[in-house]
Amino acid sequence: MRFRHPDGSTVHLAYCTNVHPAETLEGVLAQLRDHCEPVRKRLGRDRIGIGLWLAKDAAHALVTDLAALRGLRTELDRRGLEVVTLNGFPYEGFGAEEVKYRVYTPDWADPERLAHTSALARVLVQLLPDDVTEGTISTLPLAWRTTFDDARAEKAHSALRALGHRLDALTELTGKSIRVGLEPEPGCTVETTGDAIAPLTAIGHDRIGVCVDTCHLATSFEDPATALHALETAGIPIVKTQLSAALHAEHPHLPEVRAALAAFDEPRFLHQTRTLPREPGGPGAAGTLVATALRGTDDLGEALTHRTLPDSAPWRSHFHVPLHAPLTAPLTSTLPVLKDALTRLVGGPHPRTHHLEVETYTWQALPPELRPRARHQLADGIAAELTLARDLLTELGLKELP
């Protein structure tokens, strides 16, 4: 879906296909038929955008076989789909029964990550619509924190510099520009947008920036105004934004709240959980509450069972909940953070990013009563999320294009 910003530029809205497990090119083609085209038809559009996820094997098949790549482009056109952005974060196995920490491998210190992302860039320049000259790719925020020392950090920085040079060469060859954004995520070396500034400044390449995921932003209790201002001040480009919402529990000390949270503790994905404790303080201001350091666990179950996380302040968990459907009390989502961030990103005189991607990949990990039970129900849900995103954009003054 395309929108005209009041400044005359085009803002693209897509939904990410990592919600549909596929490891091979055949699986990707089946996604287009079984999921993406039905979503387009529900929206009544001649064309919609998809943020394609290509696992290692699918990407390899496309980059080594020009006929296969042309065939994918033809199939996209035939089904009324367009691709301006790829999700390059998961490498493989994202549809496995247990993903957890595996999604963070290989990291940017491993040559496989550079090879995979370079392949994705070469694929994307061929998939871009004829009238689009810029594509984007979101990627792992360097590494999971526990295995990342100074030596691996330098390898990762060197790999990203090499990627930047490859992207420059690709532009010279094709006339189309590909940019890559590190996607800050709780638990990673780059957990917050603030954490991204130092390594991206050290890497120092304008084709390497940040992908802001609004679920991750909220889970880490980042204030959108502060976070986005810091990136702007540092000159870090916002390559793309993923529109997503986290799970919010206002009163995690209550038994009924903990029981509601437990329904979201599932075995497939990590659901990093964070809180920002508040305690009395402040000179001359008795009773004033001040924020203390962010506290967290790697997974929701750990927070619920080990009681290592303070429960006197709200909890947020990295669980991408559907955007359009309010959760049942006592839980809510961080949709207000998404709305705030989106307003600041595209509601001003000029967009600070032109690529937006709805990314709710956890539909089948929801509690059973919230899960879509059939393919058509999933398509209905994705279409409803895109409709909500569309309405938010038009409220900000953007005009939907045919």
Side-chain angles (χ1 to χ4, degrees):
M1 301 168 75
R2 299 186 185 193
F3 297 80
R4 181 74 69 210
H5 190 274
D7 76 346
S9 65
T10 300
V11 172
H12 294 266
L13 172 66
Y15 94 86
C16 186
T17 64
N18 62 356
V19 63
H20 312 305
E23 299 289 319
T24 65
L25 179 55
E26 291 73 18
V28 171
L29 294 171
Q31 285 179 350
L32 306 185
R33 179 193 68 228
D34 296 339
H35 299 288
C36 303
E37 186 177 17
V39 169
R40 177 184 65 77
K41 290 181 176 179
R42 278 163 173 74
L43 291 167
R45 308 294 300 164
D46 293 333
R47 171 183 59 186
I48 66 166
I50 57 171
L52 204 57
W53 172 58
L54 297 172
K56 174 195 67 170
D57 290 343
H60 180 76
L62 291 166
V63 83
T64 56
D65 185 343
L66 186 56
L69 184 51
R70 288 173 178 159
L72 174 58
R73 173 64 187 275
T74 298
E75 192 70 0
L76 288 165
D77 293 340
R78 186 170 77 87
R79 298 193 182 278
L81 308 168
E82 67 177 15
V83 174
V84 302
T85 190
L86 300 180
N87 188 327
F89 194 138
Y91 180 70
E92 62 182 343
F94 201 61
E97 290 185 5
E98 182 177 327
V99 178
K100 297 292 185 182
Y101 295 95
R102 292 172 51 194
V103 75
Y104 305 106
T105 59
D107 65 30
W108 271 102
D110 188 325
E112 283 299 313
R113 178 61 67 170
L114 173 59
H116 177 59
T117 310
S118 300
L120 291 178
R122 290 162 58 194
V123 168
L124 183 54
V125 292
Q126 300 299 325
L127 295 182
L128 289 176
D130 293 339
D131 61 343
V132 174
T133 59
E134 180 174 300
T136 57
I137 302 171
S138 49
T139 190
L140 177 76
L142 299 185
W144 184 255
R145 69 184 188 280
T146 55
T147 59
F148 209 62
D149 56 20
D150 289 344
R152 292 186 68 78
E154 184 49 44
K155 287 181 180 179
H157 294 177
S158 295
L160 283 160
R161 290 188 196 100
L163 176 66
H165 296 317
R166 293 182 187 184
L167 297 178
D168 287 341
L170 197 58
T171 297
E172 291 181 13
L173 181 65
T174 67
K176 299 204 171 187
S177 172
I178 305 297
R179 297 192 298 162
V180 172
L182 303 184
E183 182 186 331
E185 176 165 313
C188 291
T189 300
V190 175
E191 170 155 340
T192 66
T193 55
D195 293 337
I197 292 173
L200 287 173
T201 300
I203 291 161
H205 200 290
D206 61 4
R207 294 191 195 279
I208 313 295
V210 165
C211 167
V212 174
D213 183 302
T214 58
C215 169
H216 303 172
L217 190 79
T219 300
S220 294
F221 287 85
E222 289 195 79
D223 171 60
T226 303
L228 299 178
H229 177 71
L231 292 174
E232 183 176 32
T233 301
I236 304 298
I238 300 171
V239 168
K240 65 184 275 191
T241 295
Q242 289 173 324
L243 304 180
S244 53
L247 193 61
H248 180 95
E250 186 68 20
H251 302 292
H253 66 285
L254 296 176
E256 61 268 28
V257 175
R258 300 179 82 89
L261 283 170
F264 288 83
D265 178 27
E266 55 84 37
R268 186 170 173 189
F269 299 110
L270 275 187
H271 301 295
Q272 302 93 314
T273 302
R274 299 289 184 265
T275 186
L276 192 63
R278 303 180 74 81
E279 58 186 26
T288 299
L289 295 179
V290 296
T292 58
L294 191 69
R295 300 278 299 276
T297 59
D298 283 358
D299 214 345
L300 178 57
E302 181 184 350
L304 290 169
T305 60
H306 293 179
R307 301 217 172 241
T308 57
L309 202 60
D311 60 7
S312 58
W315 286 4
R316 290 178 179 173
S317 190
H318 174 216
F319 197 119
H320 290 223
V321 295
L323 304 183
H324 67 290
L327 295 172
T328 302
L331 302 179
T332 58
S333 84
T334 60
L335 185 62
V337 177
L338 183 160
K339 292 179 178 179
D340 186 5
L342 188 63
T343 299
R344 298 175 188 282
L345 286 165
V346 302
H350 303 286
R352 298 170 68 177
T353 185
H354 288 85
H355 290 181
L356 307 173
E357 179 182 66
V358 171
E359 196 213 12
T360 305
Y361 60 83
T362 44
W363 280 94
Q364 299 302 338
L366 290 166
E369 67 275 12
L370 301 178
R371 243 175 253 169
R373 291 180 171 81
R375 188 183 294 167
H376 73 273
Q377 291 177 322
L378 177 58
D380 289 343
I382 293 170
E385 289 192 295
L386 285 168
T387 298
L388 180 144
R390 179 198 64 194
D391 292 347
L392 292 177
L393 290 173
T394 56
E395 287 170 10
L396 291 172
L398 283 74
K399 180 181 179 181
E400 186 176 6
L401 297 175

